[in-house]
């Protein structure tokens, strides 16, 4: 049953969507028409939120995993009272508007995350629910449910077909995320036609296998049924829920309902008029919001009340548990404090793999930065990401900080995004650098959403040795460097690694990727400071007088460069060695600083890095030479590979000499 | 029940593995010890193969999806009579050996594919089974089962956790691949410890949901039980099967069995001796192959008989169906013929999106190259990859050539690899270029294995417009260019697109990625030839006399360069425009050719390409300028974005003038 009042609201949403899409001559009307009753029911009858403060910490989260249905969300945000005007709606998909083609985090109030790449929303929501579970375990005490919200997700066939959703669902079920509720817009249509063409699995059985509560199939057009199902989902607090909602794509459109053609193209004005008539809409005018609908859906007063009630609770909580309350304030403002710095500074710059140095850094700061939590895709013993003083995050112990993600890199990245977006957590996640390839789409979303996520990538080159070419990164480093907003740091020793962690913890412009060696690296003699990498490149060891040549190196190749420098010096050739742990940070420096490090007059330049040479030309210039590897690796001990593939002091020396 | 004879063979395999790993001081003994009975049973009692001819077309395929168990496979290959000596085994994980750390396709006879990245083998095998199903539908007639083999996969927990295996399993079940049999080494251990930490889903239910036949759990140490289960799997010809085999990682090791520590480190000589004793092995010597085991496992005579019998059948088939037989010969030798060329040449160079030109090319050659088949991850209407004269590949119609992959890019790439590896098929697969991010790991494996797969990536830049930054490639192009062995071609008009297809079809050095526009592009006036892109870059329109400047462009930006050239000419500035559809191909040309196209004397150089500028410095040099986009895109009409982001003739003109 759907009441006339509800139906009128739903149709208002539907036609705001189709009108905006028609006006933009671009967009996806099928999902808004079909799934409007579902989203409406969540927002109208369940979602705890405050349109006047989209950042309210204890709000319910709503993720539109099928991001192409963006107009559905914008219409609801407009109607419930977010700062999105009817003009914004009319500006759908235009330059610099609040209503871009897909929901973009940071561009539109009320949009919890950027969606569009299918499955990403599904998986990111798991991170949000994990954050809620963790923080509530940490802060809720004596029935003060300070952190207490649901995470709702509207998702589509496409979301469920992508492998990332399987990874994420398996974790969500394993962790018993009872406050995570998926509403599956089951419309049987994908772009190529009926889902019978390719998607005939048993969704109920599949999600039961993941330890979900599965509800439905229900009629996705029936508000009462949706309400009952959401209540049922909420009642089961031990399992995440998925409600299978049978819908019709392009619902109401006489010529396109139930057809793939309604998915990704405007209905067109004529068909929209027919649709309005078919659904008994009172007018064929565009962008109509009936006054009673506006009143019924405006959530501002209720939203503010909701947040105020929570603030009251916070006050009493504050009086009773001042320490916890202080800590809560701190994590809500993402304040990492200063205490951790001394701990980092106290660490020794000893011979070790940079992955080990990273592990030391994590453990040094863990007590001072309690919001730091993370783990690995089943490689924490190798990636050294275990916090020794902390316990495992699990269903039974959600206050734990070490997360076992399983061998699920793609979902791991998305979950990290979800935790960062939720707030109160600075997530770090780790795997072998090669498996960045499995999670590129998630890392890109961290960067696009500018989230403070720390990616710990170890085993960063052929230095990994015997595991061979499938495990040896070649193009992954340049791959990371090419992602906008992603800061990549490849430290050369423990001191740089510690500094890199300091940078990452303070980097609020986007994610940071730490690129770390498997093999031991000698400690370079240099000034130990926390800001060692903060300019991206620096003279790690200069020559006496004006250099004849510049040798630029990163990570494990810095020590090779230093050896070459020594040999050259013994022959009277003066070479400066520059450690360049981060291109992105170096690029942000002043021209004067860049000139100081890399004087333009010196054309004899050599770079050495155990990765693709692509992009190095910029730093070595037309006369320079880059030592790198532009083919796949091989299986052999690392020392053999370094020699066979030409990563030697000799190679550097020869390159410098050839160019004198 | 396992007979003493079988057990002796199994233990020989086990200890060849542990001895080789001990000697290499590197490797993964846990899985070979635990799963040896499973692999042994497949190879001993079921696998149809010929050690003397690993390329026999109708052999059963065996994929070791858990590639880290490589020594298990090498031991079996050695014992059954492949060209792998005991010395090769002793050379495990050494430089240039036949026995690298993970199985590498092309390096070791009998290795069907490169494995190591988890889930890849699982998914690639689906492609092999699809190839078998397709070819058998095409060639088997009147009970002549010319193409008739199984595909066996040994897989691990890690394989099943990766999302790619969910995607692949869903397709395999949908397609009813009855001759695809998975043996799941269910040992309850992953690197971080018990799978209870993270992997508690119900495997039986999950695979039943995918329409699999699920067998077990059985005792993975019991050869008779394994035999019975495989027979049961074979009997169900309508569904792929998975046999859940309960095993113990590191089986037999007194101190490491059942523990994660046995996974990725050598047992060590002492523990290996203890293990040999515990399993009642007669000697503590290393690399022992008892004579009776060698006899029992040598498969050469039987293998040759097997292939000869098939050759006999082929002869009779040839006599009865000469046309089909000829066609079969052709596809087995991967001969694409010459007939398609005239069809490509006949196509018009008209104004169109290059994705449309690609669709024209596919359809032009489809009848002449029947082994060409492929499809899309639910985007064929947009990617234009439908073969109009062909039907859909489906369970009911496996002879069809249009494949609906569903929204499963990662598995799609792996399946393409599987089809190419199987032979008899040249696969092409397509999606929006952005979703290359979802399938990078699969494309890398195509490249590492040098497989002729054609990747059709459309919607290649901000030119995609309103869908916004989640759908607009920025770093994907440089990402592809950085993959060794992958040839990337970004054509500027229909003529170049047609030539690019010609190149891709003939490229047997590795995969080819075609990077295509969503938007219409004007046809450039130039010589129409099929070899237009065959040098990677060429002068598409020269100036009169010596150039003052070089303008290098690719794809949709070539026409902008040509406009700029015109304007500059009107001001008396002579600019040469170079179309550079492929860096990789250009790099393969002679220095003389490169100098001819890009004379080193001309330092005023501008590149324009709607993607990351990384790497362009190499071509524009120290004095040059690259017009590109090094930040994320935005949602707006394409024409607005081109202007806002500076992809205009004016920008090119200004860059040239600034440098005169």
């Amino acid at each position: 049953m759907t009441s006339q009042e509800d139906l009128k609201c739903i149709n208002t949403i539907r036609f705001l969507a189709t009108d905006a899409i028609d006006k933009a001559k671009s967009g996806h009307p099928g999902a808004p028409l079909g799934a409007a009753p579902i989203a409406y029911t969540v927002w109208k009858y369940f979602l705890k939120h405050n349109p006047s403060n989209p950042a309210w910490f204890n709000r319910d989260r709503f993720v539109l995993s099928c991001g192409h249905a963006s107009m559905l969300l914008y219409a609801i945000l407009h109607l419930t009272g977010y700062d999105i005007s009817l003009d914004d709606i009319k500006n759908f998909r235009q330059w610099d508007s609040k209503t871009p083609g897909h929901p973009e985090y940071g561009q539109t109030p009320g949009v919890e995350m950027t969606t569009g790449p299918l499955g990403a929303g599904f998986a990111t929501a798991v991170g949000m629910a994990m954050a809620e579970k963790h923080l509530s375990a940490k802060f809720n005490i004596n029935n003060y449910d300070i952190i207490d919200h649901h995470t709702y997700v509207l998702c589509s066939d496409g979301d469920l077909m992508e492998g990332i959703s399987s990874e994420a669902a398996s974790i969500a079920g394993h962790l018993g995320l009872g406050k995570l509720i998926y509403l599956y817009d089951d419309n049987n249509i994908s772009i190529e036609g009926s889902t019978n063409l390719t998607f005939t699995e048993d969704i109920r059985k599949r999600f039961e296998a993941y330890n979900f509560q599965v509800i439905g199939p229900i009629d996705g057009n029936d508000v009462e049924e949706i309400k009952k199902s959401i209540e049922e989902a909420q009642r089961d607090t031990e399992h995440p829920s998925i409600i299978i909602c049978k819908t019709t794509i392009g619902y109401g459109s006489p010529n396109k309902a139930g057809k793939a053609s309604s998915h990704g193209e405007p209905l067109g004005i004529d068909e929209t008029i027919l649709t309005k008539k078919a659904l008994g809409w009172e007018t064929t005018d565009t962008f109509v919001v009936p006054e009673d609908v506006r009143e019924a859906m405006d959530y501002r007063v209720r939203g503010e009340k909701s947040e105020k009630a929570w603030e009251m609770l916070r006050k009493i909580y504050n009086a009773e548990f001042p320490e916890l309350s202080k800590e809560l304030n701190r994590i809500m403002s993402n304040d990492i404090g200063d205490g951790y710095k001394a701990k980092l500074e106290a660490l020794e710059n000893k011979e070790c793999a940079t992955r080990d140095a990273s592990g030391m850094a994590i453990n040094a700061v863990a007590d001072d930065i309690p919001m730091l939590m993370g783990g690995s895709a089943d490689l924490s013993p190798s990636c050294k990401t275990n916090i020794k003083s902390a316990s495992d995050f699990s269903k039974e112990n959600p206050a734990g900080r070490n997360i076992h993600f399983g061998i699920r890199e793609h979902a791991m990245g998305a979950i990290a995004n979800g935790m960062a977006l939720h707030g109160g957590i600075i997530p770090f996640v780790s795997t072998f650098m090669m498996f960045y390839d499995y999670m590129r789409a998630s890392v890109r979303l961290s960067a696009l959403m500018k989230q403070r996520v720390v990616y710990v990538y170890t085993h960063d080159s052929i230095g990994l040795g015997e595991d061979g070419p499938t495990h040896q990164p070649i193009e992954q480093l340049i791959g990371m460097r090419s992602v906008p907003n992603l800061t990549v740091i490849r430290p050369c020793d423990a001191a740089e690694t510690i500094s890199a962690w300091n940078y990452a913890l303070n980097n609020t412009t986007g994610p940071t990727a730490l690129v770390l060696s498997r093999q031991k690296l000698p400690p370079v003699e240099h000034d130990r400071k926390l800001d060692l990498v903060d300019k991206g490149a620096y003279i790690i060891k200069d020559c006496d007088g004006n250099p004849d040549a510049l040798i630029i190196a990163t990570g494990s190749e810095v020590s090779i460069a230093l050896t070459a420098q020594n040999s050259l010096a013994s022959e009277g050739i003066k070479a400066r060695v520059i450690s360049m742990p981060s291109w992105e940070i170096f690029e942000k420096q002043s021209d004067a600083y860049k000139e100081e490090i890399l004087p333009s007059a010196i054309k004899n330049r050599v770079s050495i890095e155990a990765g693709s040479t692509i992009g190095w030309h910029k730093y070595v210039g037309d006369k320079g030479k880059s030592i790198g590897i532009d083919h796949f690796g091989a299986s052999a001990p690392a020392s053999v590979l370094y020699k066979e593939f030409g990563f030697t002091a000799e190679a550097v020396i020869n390159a410098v000499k050839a160019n004198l």
Side-chain angles (χ1 to χ4, degrees), chain A residues 454-475:
Chain A
V454 186
Y455 290 99
V456 178
Y457 290 119
T458 67
H459 298 63
D460 71 345
S461 75
I462 53 165
L464 145 106
E466 291 89 342
D467 277 340
T470 54
H471 284 55
Q472 292 166 356
I474 299 294
E475 72 277 24

Side-chain angles (χ1 to χ4, degrees), chain A residues 264-275:
Chain A
E265 285 166 20
L267 291 185
I269 291 166
D270 293 347
E271 184 68 18
T272 296
I273 290 173
L274 292 178
T275 307

Side-chain angles (χ1 to χ4, degrees), chain A residues 474-655:
Chain A
I474 299 294
E475 72 277 24
Q476 282 61 34
L477 190 49
I478 185 64
M480 290 180 194
R481 286 174 179 154
S482 64
V483 179
N485 300 350
L486 175 63
T487 301
V488 186
I489 311 180
R490 185 170 189 249
C492 77
D493 67 358
E496 278 194 6
T497 308
I498 292 157
S499 165
W501 259 104
N502 180 58
Y503 189 95
L505 290 168
N506 287 283
N507 181 11
T508 54
T509 68
T512 307
L514 304 179
V515 173
L516 305 170
S517 74
R518 174 202 186 191
Q519 71 273 32
K520 284 188 181 179
L521 303 179
V524 176
E525 262 185 65
H526 52 71
D527 283 354
R528 283 293 315 286
K529 338 168 256 196
L530 276 195
D531 64 357
L532 199 54
V533 306
D534 284 13
K535 296 195 162 178
Y538 65 101
I539 302 168
I540 194 162
K541 196 168 169 213
D542 214 347
C543 46
D544 293 328
N546 282 336
D548 302 311
L550 307 179
I551 307 173
I552 316 169
T554 80
S556 43
E557 286 67 66
V558 169
S559 63
I560 298 174
L562 292 169
T563 305
Q565 180 187 42
N566 257 336
S567 296
L568 287 165
S570 71
E571 299 184 55
I573 301 166
K574 290 176 289 182
R576 165 184 292 179
V577 176
I578 294 133
S579 176
M580 195 179 218
S582 175
W583 286 12
E584 299 77 32
I585 306 177
F586 184 65
E587 286 300 327
K588 286 182 186 160
Q589 307 309 311
S590 67
D591 286 346
Y593 182 76
K594 289 183 193 165
E595 177 66 23
E596 184 190 326
I597 303 300
L598 301 173
S600 43
I602 305 174
K603 304 290 188 198
N604 188 343
R605 299 178 179 197
V606 178
S607 70
I608 178 164
E609 181 176 76
S612 167
T613 61
I614 290 180
W616 273 108
H617 199 102
K618 180 171 181 182
Y619 298 111
V620 300
D622 292 349
K623 305 253 176 195
K625 183 178 161 76
S626 293
I627 299 171
I629 176 165
D630 293 311
H631 52 77
F632 289 114
S635 170
S639 57
V640 176
L641 295 176
Y642 262 68
K643 208 173 145 234
E644 293 285 348
F645 292 141
F647 292 97
T648 61
E650 257 180 338
V652 176
I653 293 164
N654 291 340

Side-chain angles (χ1 to χ4, degrees), chain A residues 1-2 37 41 218-227 246:
Chain A
M1 245 272 300
T2 303
T41 305
I218 65 163
D219 177 357
N221 241 330
D222 184 324
V223 169
E224 287 309 314
E225 240 187 285
I226 300 167
K227 275 163 81 168
K246 282 281 175 197

Side-chain angles (χ1 to χ4, degrees), chain A residues 179-463:
Chain A
K179 287 156 99 176
L180 176 58
I181 299 174
Y182 292 92
L183 298 115
Y184 164 37
D185 176 22
D186 182 9
N187 64 25
N188 282 100
I189 288 291
S190 69
I191 290 174
E192 292 182 4
S194 161
T195 50
N196 287 335
L197 284 174
T198 177
F199 189 51
T200 49
E201 58 186 46
D202 182 333
I203 291 292
R204 165 171 283 278
K205 225 172 184 175
R206 175 177 152 203
F207 279 84
E208 283 175 356
Y210 298 139
N211 300 304
F212 269 55
Q213 174 185 218
V214 183
I215 299 168
I218 65 163
D219 177 357
N221 241 330
D222 184 324
V223 169
E224 287 309 314
E225 240 187 285
I226 300 167
K227 275 163 81 168
K228 265 179 21 204
S229 302
I230 295 176
E231 284 159 4
E232 193 183 339
Q234 289 183 338
R235 275 196 299 273
D236 183 342
T237 58
E238 300 284 312
H239 304 89
S241 297
I242 185 164
I243 304 169
I244 303 171
C245 308
K246 282 281 175 197
T247 64
T248 304
I249 193 169
Y251 181 81
S253 162
N255 296 301
K256 295 195 173 179
K259 293 185 186 160
S261 59
S262 73
H263 166 76
E265 285 166 20
L267 291 185
I269 291 166
D270 293 347
E271 184 68 18
T272 296
I273 290 173
L274 292 178
T275 307
K276 286 175 179 173
K277 285 186 180 155
L279 292 183
W281 194 236
E282 56 200 22
T283 167
T284 57
D285 291 353
T286 56
F287 301 104
V288 169
V289 180
E291 207 42 51
D292 50 342
V293 167
R294 198 171 282 289
E295 268 171 40
M297 287 197 66
D298 189 335
Y299 202 79
R300 282 173 294 184
V301 173
R302 276 169 290 176
E304 269 161 42
K305 261 194 199 156
S306 211
E307 181 167 358
K308 278 213 179 102
W310 183 72
E311 291 292 354
M312 292 289 291
L313 186 70
R314 284 278 292 118
K315 266 191 196 145
I316 316 173
Y317 179 82
N318 186 49
E320 252 188 277
F321 310 102
E323 279 309 307
L324 266 178
S325 183
K326 203 176 135 194
E327 178 59 23
L328 177 57
N329 280 336
R330 183 183 162 199
I331 69 117
M332 287 199 303
S333 62
N334 275 326
D335 172 14
I336 62 171
D338 273 335
Y340 75 92
K341 288 193 177 176
K343 308 285 174 63
L344 282 183
E345 276 161 352
L347 293 172
E348 193 192 345
N349 189 21
K350 60 179 183 185
E351 174 167 4
C352 63
T354 49
R355 62 176 167 141
D356 282 311
S358 168
M360 286 157 46
I362 291 171
N363 279 283
V365 305
D367 290 347
D368 283 280
I369 310 180
M371 68 256 268
L372 187 70
M373 70 185 281
S376 175
D378 198 42
L379 285 169
S380 72
S382 296
C383 297
K384 312 291 179 187
T385 38
N386 203 54
I387 302 176
K388 294 189 187 85
S389 63
S391 55
D392 284 354
F393 177 87
S394 68
K395 184 174 180 175
E396 296 72 26
N397 180 42
R401 293 162 69 192
N402 288 312
I403 306 173
H404 297 282
F405 287 98
I407 305 170
R408 305 175 177 113
E409 297 83 5
H410 197 177
M412 175 172 73
I415 288 169
N417 288 336
M419 294 195 294
L421 285 162
H422 183 281
I425 291 171
I426 300 176
F428 62 90
V429 295
S430 67
T431 181
F432 286 176
M433 185 170 172
M434 177 50 65
F435 304 121
Y436 168 53
D437 273 11
Y438 276 54
M439 58 190 295
R440 294 219 194 201
S442 294
V443 177
R444 189 176 208 258
L445 280 174
S446 313
L448 186 53
M449 297 189 287
K450 300 185 180 168
Q451 291 305 295
R452 178 158 53 174
V453 175
V454 186
Y455 290 99
V456 178
Y457 290 119
T458 67
H459 298 63
D460 71 345
S461 75
I462 53 165

